[in-house]
Amino acid sequence: MGEKGEAACEKVGRCAEHGKKLVYFCRLEKLKVCSKCAITGSHRGHTVVPVEEALSELKEEAEMLQQQVQEDFAILRSFLDSEEKVLMEWIATEKQHILEELERLKAECLERAKHLSLLMDPFKAVLQSTNLSDVLKVLNISSDGSSHPCETANDPVVRFEAEKFCGPLQYKVWKRMLQIIQTVPEAYTFDHLTAHPHLEISTNRRSVIPRREALPVDYANGRFDTCLCVLGTEAISTGKHYWEVTVNKKAKWDLGVAYSSVPRHGDIFYRPSRGIWCLTLRDGYCYEACDEHDIQLEVQHSPGRIGIYVDYEGGVVLFFDAETMLMLHAFRTHFTDQLLPLYSPCTMEEAVPGDQRLTIFKLNV
């Protein structure tokens, strides 16, 4: 180990259990460990790499993230700049059209004024005459019913219709922006053929409701028979996906993703090693990420809707408070099979009033 490596060892400290330098990093539990922890201790069998390697990987990952953030915001800025340019050009075109129309009307008014002045000349002359026949002659000529070139129909009102450019401008732009956003809430559905008999799926297959009595359904091979779970219909085997589940004020639920081969009979265990990445709520306040060892989460605000994001190639499962878009937990892994959304509204809560269903949120645009 070089001088830099020795300096790094001095900075990382020593293991409280074995007194050895913490020169390794456990990827599973994301902790610095000593060689004895990795070989014979509590981290035996875990993926362990030198701290320097972990730091190098972290630096590379941070740089890639920075680049991705810059690219994503560049796309949004480009879209907004384009929308602004189109709107401003449209306003300028309308403005020019109105100005040209006003100039045309101005020219017509001047021409009419000129003709009216010519019509007034005979009246001016006859007013100075005392000959009644001259007066009647002029009056007969002016009232013979013949049209004059300066007489036209009433012109339409010319105005700038600002309302065409007003209204909920930001909302209209946001709806168009959805076309360039890669991940927006997808309207997933529940696979009723996988639902436990005590779970009722709504007609539109976007809500699941726990029932006290079992429904008269066939116990097919694909149906959960012990755990009150149901899978999603849409499989994930590539790309980035995001969906939201409305949980309202339920005191307990389970949400996540699982390999499509997840066991349907008997108890199942929410563990990444079992092909399940899950977040749970118990007692209305105890949020846990079901890693190889459960991780209790500090959630200040109880969200009424949970967002789930999956980057299949990136090996990422993220959970969000969909109301504030604050991340609740992140799983990192490497997927080897297709995924299906996994849901459980848990059992009917007798003492809890109100709606106890889970509902897939559908973005109406």
Side-chain angles (χ1 to χ4, degrees), residues 104-163:
R104 184 188 68 80
L105 292 176
K106 177 182 177 181
E108 285 189 1
C109 287
L110 292 174
E111 185 67 19
R112 291 180 188 181
K114 180 179 178 182
H115 284 290
L116 288 173
S117 178
L118 293 174
L119 285 174
M120 289 297 297
D121 288 342
F123 285 99
K124 291 178 181 179
V126 79
L127 288 175
Q128 297 176 2
S129 173
T130 58
N131 190 329
L132 182 59
S133 61
D134 291 339
V135 175
L136 292 175
K137 184 178 180 180
V138 171
L139 290 174
N140 288 334
I141 292 174
S142 63
S143 60
D144 62 0
S146 60
S147 62
H148 194 276
C150 71
E151 294 176 0
T152 60
N154 291 333
D155 290 306
V157 177
V158 179
R159 67 185 183 87
F160 183 72
E161 298 179 355
E163 60 271 13

Side-chain angles (χ1 to χ4, degrees), residues 217-257:
V217 294
D218 295 329
Y219 281 79
N221 290 332
R223 189 182 298 280
F224 290 96
D225 60 11
T226 303
C227 294
L228 268 71
C229 294
V230 59
L231 296 173
T233 305
E234 296 78 9
I236 298 171
S237 57
T238 186
K240 301 174 181 178
H241 303 268
Y242 177 74
W243 66 101
E244 296 179 354
V245 184
T246 301
V247 297
N248 292 316
K249 295 182 179 181
K250 279 185 61 61
K252 54 183 179 180
W253 45 254
D254 308 336
L255 297 174
V257 293

